[in-house]
Amino acid sequence: MNRTTHPPDRRATLDRTGAATAAPPTDRTAPRRRPTSQQWAAWAFLAPVTLYLVLFYAYPLYRNLDLSLRNYTVRSFVQGDAPFTGLKNYETVFQDPTFGPALAHTVTFTAVCLLFQYAIGLALAVFFHQHFRLSATLRALFLVPWLLPLIVSASTWSWMLNSDSGIVNSVLNAVGIDSVNWLTSPEWSLTSVIIANIWIGVPFNLVVLYSGLQSIPGSLYEAAALDGAGAWRRFWNITFPLLRPVSAITLLLGLVYTLKVFDIIWIMTKGGPADSSTTFATWSYQLGFGNLLPAFGPGAAVGNLLVVAALAFGLVYLRVQRKQYAS
């Protein structure tokens, strides 16, 4: 059997005189390009951010997940030989009598705070958008609750709502109303921490929503005024619809912040009395650090529930944003 050998593919090319010459064989495997100086610079700028995310976000989340899947004690926490228990810590949390009230308090605390923070912040943003005299000064004063350390704000509210010497009960007594046990009554403890957290969160909503109002063209209001639209109608037909993207991110950030509020509740009521103001944030701390025999696993499980809730709302926000951009 004769074997025919095929010569290498040499495509003919024409030189300047028009004669056909054989082109050199082409190399089908292109050489690997080395990173340029610009690419190295880009990686250099990304390295600190990546390192920060790994050290302060990825690793703590991994450790918290590992805590919730093992039976950690004080000894095993130090030595690192805790046995793997799977989802047993989550079962312990779901079967705990505190789970139901803590869930209800967390939902109530988050929903009421978000509603009033957004409503009051939006009303103040529209009010200051009028650009009257002393508008900038008053707007700066409203930022004071946001700038104060949380421990200072919580301590101040604890003093104001004190049953015996608080200024709130003094005002109530002055108008003929009996004193209220704001911090020591199971009926009022959750309301007290909600009021304090609303006061702290309003400035954030004011700043973000006021920035959103600055981006709305004034010509739209002028055209609506020429058409005879009143202030209320201009708000519902122009201001509120155009503020939807800003409102969405404001509510999302407020939701994530409110879910993990711990300082205010712990300083004012410590989750009591009788767990009447206990939320998932304070319950997680009590399980992990509030007892002589800490339950690290269940405490980490409660913390992971908060992470999952925040992540779920974040995914919902991204889905809504994609639909808006697609339409």
Side-chain angles (χ1 to χ4, degrees):
M1 182 179 296
N2 297 328
R3 295 184 180 179
T4 59
T5 59
H6 298 278
D9 185 15
R10 298 176 179 269
R11 297 183 180 179
T13 58
L14 298 178
D15 58 8
R16 294 181 179 179
T17 60
T21 59
T26 58
D27 189 3
R28 296 180 181 274
T29 60
R32 182 177 298 179
R33 298 178 60 184
R34 295 182 178 179
T36 62
S37 59
Q38 294 181 351
Q39 292 175 337
W40 282 115
W43 282 110
F45 279 107
L46 285 175
V49 178
T50 305
L51 184 62
Y52 173 81
L53 293 176
V54 170
L55 291 179
F56 296 99
Y57 285 90
Y59 181 71
L61 287 175
Y62 163 74
R63 286 293 298 162
N64 201 62
L65 180 62
D66 181 70
L67 280 172
S68 66
L69 299 177
R70 296 181 181 274
N71 184 20
Y72 273 96
T73 61
V74 177
R75 179 179 179 181
S76 60
F77 187 83
V78 177
Q79 296 180 353
D81 56 349
F84 182 80
T85 58
L87 299 178
K88 186 177 180 179
N89 289 323
Y90 292 91
E91 295 177 1
T92 302
V93 167
F94 291 141
Q95 295 174 0
D96 195 299
T98 310
F99 177 79
L103 176 62
H105 297 158
T106 302
V107 174
T108 303
F109 180 82
T110 304
V112 175
C113 286
L114 280 181
L115 175 62
F116 280 92
Q117 286 174 356
Y118 177 79
I120 299 174
L122 179 59
L124 291 174
V126 174
F127 174 73
F128 286 118
H129 191 57
Q130 306 301 319
H131 299 294
F132 55 90
R133 185 175 295 180
L134 298 179
S135 173
T137 304
L138 293 177
R139 192 168 67 249
L141 291 177
F142 270 97
L143 296 179
V144 172
W146 193 28
L147 299 177
L148 288 176
L150 291 178
I151 188 173
V152 175
S153 301
S155 301
T156 302
W157 277 100
S158 296
W159 169 76
M160 293 174 59
L161 297 177
N162 187 276
S163 301
D164 300 325
S165 59
I167 189 174
V168 175
N169 279 341
S170 299
V171 173
L172 293 179
N173 295 333
V175 296
I177 301 177
D178 295 334
S179 299
V180 177
N181 297 323
W182 296 98
L183 304 178
T184 58
S185 172
E187 299 177 356
W188 290 99
S189 59
L190 185 62
T191 303
S192 302
V193 295
I194 287 176
I195 293 173
N197 192 65
I198 290 174
W199 179 78
I200 294 172
V202 164
F204 171 77
N205 288 261
L206 167 61
V207 171
V208 179
L209 295 174
Y210 183 81
S211 301
L213 288 175
Q214 296 292 96
S215 63
I216 299 178
S219 58
L220 296 178
Y221 295 104
E222 295 176 359
L226 292 176
D227 292 338
W232 190 249
R233 189 173 181 182
R234 291 197 300 269
F235 173 79
W236 281 110
N237 294 338
I238 299 176
T239 304
F240 194 71
L242 294 180
L243 275 181
R244 284 178 181 175
V246 180
S247 299
I249 191 62
T250 303
L251 291 174
L252 176 63
L253 294 176
L255 173 69
V256 174
Y257 169 79
T258 309
L259 279 175
K260 64 183 183 63
V261 167
F262 166 78
D263 314 67
I264 305 298
I265 302 175
W266 189 258
I267 293 173
M268 293 181 64
T269 65
K270 288 184 171 58
D275 294 334
S276 58
S277 59
T278 296
T279 61
F280 276 174
T282 58
W283 189 30
S284 176
Y285 179 82
Q286 287 176 342
L287 289 173
F289 305 98
N291 301 315
L292 294 177
L293 296 176
F296 294 115
V302 176
N304 285 332
L305 294 179
L306 289 176
V307 174
V308 171
L311 180 62
F313 283 104
L315 293 177
V316 171
Y317 169 77
L318 293 177
R319 186 179 182 86
V320 172
Q321 288 294 102
R322 289 179 180 178
K323 287 184 177 180
Q324 290 181 353
Y325 287 131
S327 60

